[in-house]
């Protein structure tokens, strides 16, 4: 029995074929399926021009090309594949493959000579389309193209796992063929990963220029083709990615979902030096992450020594590669944000009250690194980064910007920082996974009360909370949240300075609580038992 896992992005091999958490999770499950010897067929776009990466030059934000050459990493099938749309419009595509033993990944590439120029470029850039028509065509290619790949290659696929609604035309096509919703439900698993993103909706007039929608589907979603609504109806199993996400989805949209909380692939995200420490004191952790529960056996002084080495490595990287206003140093507490940058994640919250920030710096000596990327059409984030650049020049507090992403960079930051911030505006964080990767590297996190962290974090034991746990955005009080954030931050920084042993113990507690549960082995086994079998 095999599963076809459809996702617009996959993070593998340190390639720029992903934007954020959705792609990281897809990649983590890909590697996990291999370890667990489960037949897993991932299908995505080749994304040869990546998502986005930036640098700061003369105070300006400059986008950098991320283009990579697929033939350096993958093997190409000799034959072409195709889908046929309305008016006999044929879109051809080739397939690049990346095979492990049990896990296989297929990359759709529309850059073939027989296609129109507008079609040839569709698979190159992640989440970048010029208009709604291109978005529709791209969704049709992912959905119908995934069916074409499975059928033409005769893959042993029992179910299709659709991640977000990008590949949703696959389920509609199955309904057109089978004409039986119950039979479709036997084949479809649907996971929604966000309350506010990934929910595609199209005008029927625009869709049906390219693809006929059955009347039964229009009855499910009468006004527009709401792909999330349709997939929830057509999927035999549908889930949110944390308990709170399940509750929020029910309250905001009426979606009745199960939940499987995300997990990170521990072998991939543990920094090498931390991994050597685990090898010594937690033998067998690589094949059985539940053994990370024994992290309390790590001597505090050895843990401190490794964390200090990692901090100095990160500081050296920042001083050499980041856009900074002044040098970073070991004696300052290093605070980090490392995320996909978008408005609701409040990535710059530390800088919202500069007088309070200066007060904290005077008392404790701090430095802040912000790392992540954003969509080129996201004007809010672009303007915010410009504001940060201007603000940096007025501060004596060391601030760094690293506007890129990547597996190795992520491990540098997550393992080398003293305090990680995971501070999205409730209730919009579905789960979050960056805090999991920080936790298994022994870095404690300050959280807003949202996402999957609510299932494991105990304030003052393995991390910290600020603010309130709300389920309706109307209940959110931003000013109250800001006050709570700075007060809790003051408390944490004081602990770091006055009782560093206790602070480090909280980092070890993060390993022994987050590691055994919030890993991709547990997550994938839940998908097997709940969704696949």
């Amino acid at each position: 029995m095999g599963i076809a896992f459809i996702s617009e992005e996959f993070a593998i091999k340190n390639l720029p074929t992903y934007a954020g958490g959705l792609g990281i999770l897809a990649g983590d499950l890909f590697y996990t399926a291999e370890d667990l010897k489960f037949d897993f067929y991932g299908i995505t776009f080749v994304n040869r021009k990546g998502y986005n990466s930036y640098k700061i030059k003369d105070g300006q934000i400059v986008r950098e090309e991320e283009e990579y050459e697929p033939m350096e990493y993958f093997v190409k099938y000799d034959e072409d594949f195709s889908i046929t749309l309305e008016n006999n419009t044929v879109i051809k595509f080739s397939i690049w493959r990346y095979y492990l033993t049990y896990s296989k990944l297929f990359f759709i590439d529309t850059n073939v000579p027989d296609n129109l120029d507008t079609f040839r470029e569709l698979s190159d850039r992640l989440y970048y389309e010029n208009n709604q028509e291109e978005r529709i065509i791209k969704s049709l290619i992912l959905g119908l193209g995934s069916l074409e790949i499975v059928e033409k290659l005769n893959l042993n696929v029992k179910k299709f796992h659709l991640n977000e609604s990008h590949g949703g035309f696959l389920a509609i096509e199955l309904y057109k063929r089978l004409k039986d919703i119950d039979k479709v439900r036997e084949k479809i698993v649907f996971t929604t990963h966000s309350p506010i993103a990934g929910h595609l909706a199209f005008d029927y007039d625009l869709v049906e220029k390219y693809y006929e929608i059955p009347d039964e589907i229009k009855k499910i979603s009468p006004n527009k083709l709401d792909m999330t609504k349709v997939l929830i109806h057509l999927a035999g199993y549908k889930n949110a990615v944390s308990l709170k996400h399940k509750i929020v989805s029910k309250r905001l949209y009426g979606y009745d979902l199960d939940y499987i909380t995300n997990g990170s692939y521990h072998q991939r995200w543990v920094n090498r030096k931390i991994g050597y420490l685990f090898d010594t004191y937690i033998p067998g952790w690589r094949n059985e992450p539940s053994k990370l529960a024994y992290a309390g056996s790590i001597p505090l002084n050895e843990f401190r020594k490794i964390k200090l080495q990692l901090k100095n490595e990160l500081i050296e990287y920042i001083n050499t590669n980041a856009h900074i206003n002044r040098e970073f140093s070991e004696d300052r507490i290093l605070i980090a944000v490392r995320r996909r940058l978008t408005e609701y994640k409040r990535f710059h919250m530390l800088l919202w009250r500069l007088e309070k920030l200066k007060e904290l710096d005077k008392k404790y000596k701090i430095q802040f690194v912000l790392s992540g990327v954003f969509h080129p059409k996201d004007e809010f984030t672009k303007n915010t980064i410009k504001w940060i650049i201007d603000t940096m020049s007025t501060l004596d507090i060391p601030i760094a910007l690293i506007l890129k992403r990547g597996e190795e960079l992520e491990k540098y930051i997550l393992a080398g920082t003293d305090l990680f911030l995971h501070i999205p505006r409730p209730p919009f964080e579905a789960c979050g996974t960056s805090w999991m990767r920080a936790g298994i590297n022994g870095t404690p996190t300050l959280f807003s009360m949202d996402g999957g962290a609510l299932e494991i974090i105990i304030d003052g034991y393995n991390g910290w909370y600020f603010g309130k746990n709300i389920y309706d955005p109307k209940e959110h009080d931003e000013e109250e949240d800001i006050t709570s954030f700075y007060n809790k931050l003051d408390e944490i920084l004081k602990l770091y300075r006055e009782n560093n042993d206790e602070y480090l113990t909280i980092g070890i507690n993060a390993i022994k609580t987050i590691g055994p549960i919030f890993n991709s082995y547990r997550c994938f086994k839940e998908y097997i038992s709940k969704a696949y079998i």
Side-chain angles (χ1 to χ4, degrees):
M1 179 192 72
I3 295 297
F5 191 94
I6 320 300
S7 173
E8 192 146 333
E9 50 177 300
F10 267 84
I12 58 157
K13 295 173 72 71
N14 214 27
L15 292 173
T17 52
Y18 73 103
L22 177 66
I24 288 174
L25 180 71
D28 285 356
L29 295 180
F30 172 80
Y31 291 116
T32 298
E34 177 67 16
D35 288 353
L36 299 180
K37 300 181 179 179
F38 190 95
D39 289 336
F40 181 101
Y41 304 100
I43 304 176
T44 188
F45 289 115
V46 70
N47 296 322
R48 59 159 47 82
K49 292 185 179 179
Y51 180 62
N52 284 292
S53 181
Y54 303 89
K55 64 181 178 181
I56 310 299
K57 187 175 181 180
D58 300 326
Q60 299 299 312
I61 304 168
V62 180
R63 193 175 69 81
E64 295 184 301
E65 288 296 328
E66 290 189 304
E67 190 163 1
Y68 75 101
E69 179 47 66
M71 71 171 58
E72 295 179 12
Y73 301 93
F74 313 129
V75 176
K76 191 174 186 179
Y77 277 100
D78 291 334
E79 58 185 315
D80 280 341
F81 299 73
S82 66
I83 62 169
T84 301
L85 305 178
E86 291 295 297
N87 301 318
N88 293 317
T89 301
V90 176
I91 301 178
K92 293 186 177 181
F93 58 93
S94 56
I95 292 295
W96 300 90
R97 72 175 191 261
Y98 173 49
Y99 279 10
L100 302 178
T101 302
Y102 299 92
S103 293
K104 300 172 175 62
L105 195 47
F106 301 94
F107 297 87
I108 294 172
D109 188 354
T110 58
N111 189 12
V112 299
D114 291 344
N115 280 340
L116 297 173
D117 288 345
T118 52
F119 296 156
R120 293 183 66 167
E121 298 173 355
L122 286 177
S123 62
D124 281 352
R125 285 284 302 280
L126 184 56
Y127 302 134
Y128 194 91
E129 300 86 34
N130 292 310
N131 51 52
Q132 274 286 82
E133 277 191 80
E134 286 192 0
R135 178 66 262 179
I136 290 168
I137 295 168
K138 200 166 176 179
S139 298
L140 285 163
I141 294 168
L142 184 62
L144 305 186
S146 294
L147 270 178
E148 167 80 353
I149 291 166
V150 168
E151 292 171 351
K152 198 164 185 177
L153 298 181
N154 198 28
L155 302 179
N156 179 29
V157 168
K158 180 183 179 182
K159 293 191 179 184
F160 297 90
H161 187 167
L162 302 176
N163 284 271
E164 295 295 21
S165 61
H166 307 119
F169 284 109
L170 184 152
I172 296 174
E173 179 65 19
L174 282 180
Y175 176 76
K176 289 171 75 170
R177 296 181 186 184
L178 298 172
K179 295 180 172 56
D180 186 327
I181 284 182
D182 289 333
K183 288 182 179 179
V184 175
R185 287 173 177 161
E186 290 174 6
K187 295 180 176 294
I188 297 295
V189 174
F190 173 56
T191 301
T192 174
H193 293 264
S194 169
I196 57 175
H199 304 288
L200 301 182
F202 305 121
D203 290 332
Y204 280 114
D205 288 346
L206 199 56
V207 172
E208 293 193 310
K209 286 175 62 178
Y210 300 98
Y211 184 77
E212 184 181 359
I213 305 296
D215 289 339
E216 290 80 0
I217 301 298
K218 292 180 180 178
K219 290 175 184 176
I220 296 169
S221 180
N223 300 318
K224 278 190 171 186
L225 181 60
D226 183 327
M227 294 298 271
T228 296
K229 185 183 291 186
V230 168
L231 289 173
I232 284 172
H233 196 82
L234 294 182
Y237 181 82
K238 47 264 188 180
N239 68 286
V241 291
S242 74
L243 174 57
K244 182 169 181 182
H245 183 208
K246 167 188 169 67
I247 297 169
V248 168
S249 296
K250 179 70 172 178
R251 291 193 181 187
L252 294 186
Y253 307 111
Y255 299 151
D256 191 12
L257 307 172
D258 194 7
Y259 78 98
I260 296 176
T261 305
N262 289 338
S264 287
Y265 182 56
H266 59 291
Q267 295 194 50
R268 181 185 190 187
W269 296 110
V270 170
N271 182 282
R272 185 174 62 254
K273 286 186 172 66
I274 297 287
Y276 292 158
L277 195 64
F278 291 171
D279 289 339
T280 302
Y281 294 100
I282 318 173
W285 72 276
R286 295 181 188 273
N287 296 321
E288 186 45 73
S290 64
K291 291 188 175 182
L292 292 171
Y294 301 115
S297 63
I298 299 171
L300 209 57
N301 284 338
E302 290 196 42
F303 183 62
R304 176 184 284 108
K305 180 181 176 182
I306 292 297
K307 290 294 282 184
L308 187 58
Q309 288 178 12
L310 293 170
K311 179 177 180 177
N312 282 319
E313 287 179 9
L314 176 57
I315 287 170
E316 182 180 354
Y317 179 89
I318 289 170
N319 287 336
T320 305
N321 298 283
H323 176 76
I324 58 176
N325 58 346
R326 58 198 69 251
E327 294 275 303
F328 276 51
S329 58
E330 179 190 308
D331 64 318
R332 289 180 171 271
I333 302 173
L334 182 49
I335 303 170
V337 168
R338 182 20 274 158
R339 306 212 65 188
R340 181 176 62 85
L341 306 180
T342 191
E343 193 271 339
Y344 82 90
K345 294 182 186 286
R346 301 192 295 187
F347 53 88
H348 62 309
M349 194 173 184
L350 184 63
L351 307 177
W352 283 7
R353 299 291 181 267
L354 294 179
E355 289 306 314
K356 185 64 177 175
L357 183 67
K358 291 173 185 177
E359 180 186 320
L360 291 174
D361 180 60
K362 186 177 180 180
K363 289 164 69 174
Y364 306 114
K365 294 186 69 177
I366 60 177
Q367 52 199 350
F368 174 52
V369 57
L370 170 63
S371 175
V373 295
F374 58 92
H375 196 281
K377 294 182 180 179
D378 183 348
E379 292 301 320
F380 172 87
T381 300
K382 189 181 297 183
N383 290 332
T384 300
I385 297 296
K386 290 177 182 177
W387 175 82
I388 293 172
I389 294 168
D390 291 340
T391 302
M392 287 167 65
S393 64
T394 70
L395 293 173
D396 291 329
I397 304 165
I399 309 287
L401 288 173
I402 305 174
L403 301 180
K404 59 175 67 176
R405 72 214 184 290
E407 186 175 317
E408 293 305 315
L409 173 61
E410 181 127 348
K411 285 189 283 190
Y412 251 126
I413 294 172
L414 296 177
T417 194
D418 293 313
L419 176 66
F420 191 68
L421 300 182
H422 189 269
I423 50 180
R425 181 180 294 109
F428 297 119
E429 183 67 79
C431 181
T433 56
S434 54
W435 61 269
M436 300 176 192
R437 298 189 289 279
I440 59 174
N441 281 286
T443 299
T445 298
L446 171 59
F447 297 89
S448 57
M449 299 194 73
D450 212 15
L454 294 168
E455 297 168 33
I456 192 66
I457 298 302
I458 301 169
D459 187 61
Y461 175 73
N462 57 356
W464 300 272
Y465 289 122
F466 72 92
K468 292 181 178 179
N469 181 15
I470 63 167
Y471 294 88
D472 186 335
K474 295 175 185 175
E475 298 171 6
H476 179 72
D477 186 326
E478 194 82 304
E479 285 301 318
E480 191 176 285
D481 235 25
I482 294 167
T483 300
S484 179
F485 170 72
Y486 283 107
N487 288 342
K488 181 61 76 167
L489 189 58
D490 194 323
E491 176 188 320
I492 294 166
L493 298 176
K494 182 178 181 181
L495 179 66
Y496 182 96
R497 289 300 186 198
E498 296 183 359
N499 191 343
N500 195 247
D501 281 2
E502 184 178 339
Y503 190 94
L504 289 170
T505 300
I506 291 172
I508 286 180
N509 290 343
I511 297 170
K512 72 181 186 182
T513 53
I514 294 170
I517 300 172
F518 289 83
N519 62 76
S520 56
Y521 280 25
R522 185 273 311 155
C523 179
F524 194 71
K525 287 174 181 176
E526 278 199 63
Y527 276 112
I528 292 172
S529 63
K530 289 184 173 183
Y532 301 162
I533 297 176

